[in-house]
């Protein structure tokens, strides 16, 4: 493992909330709740922090925890810093983070995206040995209106943070949604200079894969069910 840590690496598919280490989750949890756990919050958190085996349902709870613990700008800032530090400690020299702007009771979508971008900008200005870029994301489970909101916000903030956002991502639970519904938002992103990184072929749907290739995709995420689906 020492050898692999020493090898310089690039990471092109790091979801921000999916990259929080157990130690970071514990730190964020204490920031929000203190050392005493409030009633009704425990669930499987103890098992997560101690590396115990989780059921599939409990695995999804880990992501729910991550969102719950990053619902304020100061917590999101700390989380972004910790994720970058963890990758840097593994000698990742170029990192692309992905995240979907979201609003909470304490934070607007603009504040969310600006917070992440500001941490990235400071990291790059400090020349700390790692270059970090961002792919703002559409979570297709949230619908087309939020998708267009995210694109418009990224376009607006791109001038404030030039060179920080390098592509637009489409991710989220694909079931129950139609890819073609998101084409207008993705086309607008591309018209404003964002290459497209699409989670493609995550489930067995030949038609959707063909639709994505027809639109044009600059980077594929996962691609599990692409084989024999399209002619590239």
């Amino acid at each position: 493992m020492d050898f692999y840590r020493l090898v310089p690496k690039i990471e092109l598919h790091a979801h921000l909330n999916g990259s929080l280490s157990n130690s970071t989750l514990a730190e964020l949890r204490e920031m929000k709740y203190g050392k005493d756990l409030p009633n009704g919050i425990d669930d499987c958190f103890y098992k997560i922090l101690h590396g115990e085996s989780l059921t599939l349902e409990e695995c999804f709870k880990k992501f729910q925890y991550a969102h719950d613990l990053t619902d304020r700008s100061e917590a999101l800032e700390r989380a972004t810093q910790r994720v970058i530090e963890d990758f840097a400690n593994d000698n990742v020299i170029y990192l692309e983070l992905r995240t979907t702007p979201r609003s909470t009771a304490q934070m607007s979508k603009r504040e969310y995206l600006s917070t992440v971008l500001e941490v990235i900008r400071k990291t790059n200005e400090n020349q700390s040995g790692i270059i970090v870029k961002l792919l703002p994301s559409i979570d297709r489970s949230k619908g087309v209106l939020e998708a267009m909101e995210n694109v418009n916000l990224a376009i607006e903030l791109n001038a404030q943070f030039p060179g920080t956002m390098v592509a637009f991502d489409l991710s989220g639970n694909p079931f129950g949604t139609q890819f073609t519904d998101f084409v207008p938002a993705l086309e607008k992103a591309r018209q404003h200079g964002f290459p497209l990184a699409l989670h493609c072929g995550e489930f067995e749907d030949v038609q959707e894969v063909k639709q994505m290739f027809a639109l044009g995709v600059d980077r594929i995420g996962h691609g599990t069910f692409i084989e024999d689906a399209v002619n590239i």
Side-chain angles (χ1 to χ4, degrees), residues 21-192:
S21 66
N22 285 351
S23 61
T24 298
L25 287 171
E27 181 181 357
L28 296 173
R29 180 172 178 243
E30 186 170 334
M31 282 181 63
K32 183 169 184 177
Y33 296 117
K35 293 184 178 181
D36 297 325
L37 184 67
N39 292 332
I41 302 297
D42 190 70
D43 289 332
C44 64
F45 205 94
Y46 179 90
K47 293 174 69 175
I48 290 171
L49 294 184
H50 291 81
E52 296 183 18
S53 297
L54 304 177
T55 66
L56 183 59
E57 183 180 359
E58 288 171 336
C59 288
F60 282 110
K61 284 183 180 180
K62 185 170 183 177
F63 292 97
Q64 293 174 11
Y65 278 121
H67 287 135
D68 174 62
L69 297 175
T70 56
D71 63 344
R72 295 157 296 132
S73 60
E74 58 269 26
L76 178 64
E77 180 180 0
R78 180 74 61 85
T80 307
Q81 291 169 343
R82 291 291 183 263
V83 166
I84 293 172
E85 289 170 4
D86 286 342
F87 278 110
N89 288 337
D90 279 337
N91 204 23
V92 172
I93 59 174
Y94 178 81
L95 168 66
E96 290 185 358
L97 289 174
R98 301 166 183 236
T99 195
T100 301
R102 59 189 177 92
S103 59
T104 70
Q106 294 80 22
M107 178 172 54
S108 67
K109 276 189 175 184
R110 173 183 297 277
E111 191 174 2
Y112 182 101
L113 189 56
S114 296
T115 297
V116 176
L117 286 167
E118 185 61 32
V119 172
I120 292 175
R121 177 164 66 181
K122 289 179 180 178
T123 299
N124 293 333
E125 288 176 351
N126 290 337
Q127 297 181 343
S128 54
I130 184 172
I131 298 172
V132 186
K133 302 294 183 179
L134 183 69
L135 283 73
S137 182
I138 291 171
D139 181 348
R140 56 194 291 176
S141 69
K142 302 298 183 184
V144 295
L145 293 181
E146 286 211 20
M148 190 62 78
E149 284 179 4
N150 293 350
V151 170
N152 289 334
L153 179 60
I155 291 170
E156 184 177 343
L157 290 178
N158 200 33
Q160 185 178 343
F161 298 91
T164 307
M165 293 181 281
V166 293
F168 219 95
D169 177 43
L170 175 73
S171 58
N173 189 344
F175 297 105
T177 65
Q178 296 292 326
F179 168 73
T180 51
D181 293 340
F182 298 92
V183 168
L186 292 168
E187 286 184 330
K188 184 171 185 178
R190 185 161 58 189
Q191 289 166 3
H192 284 80

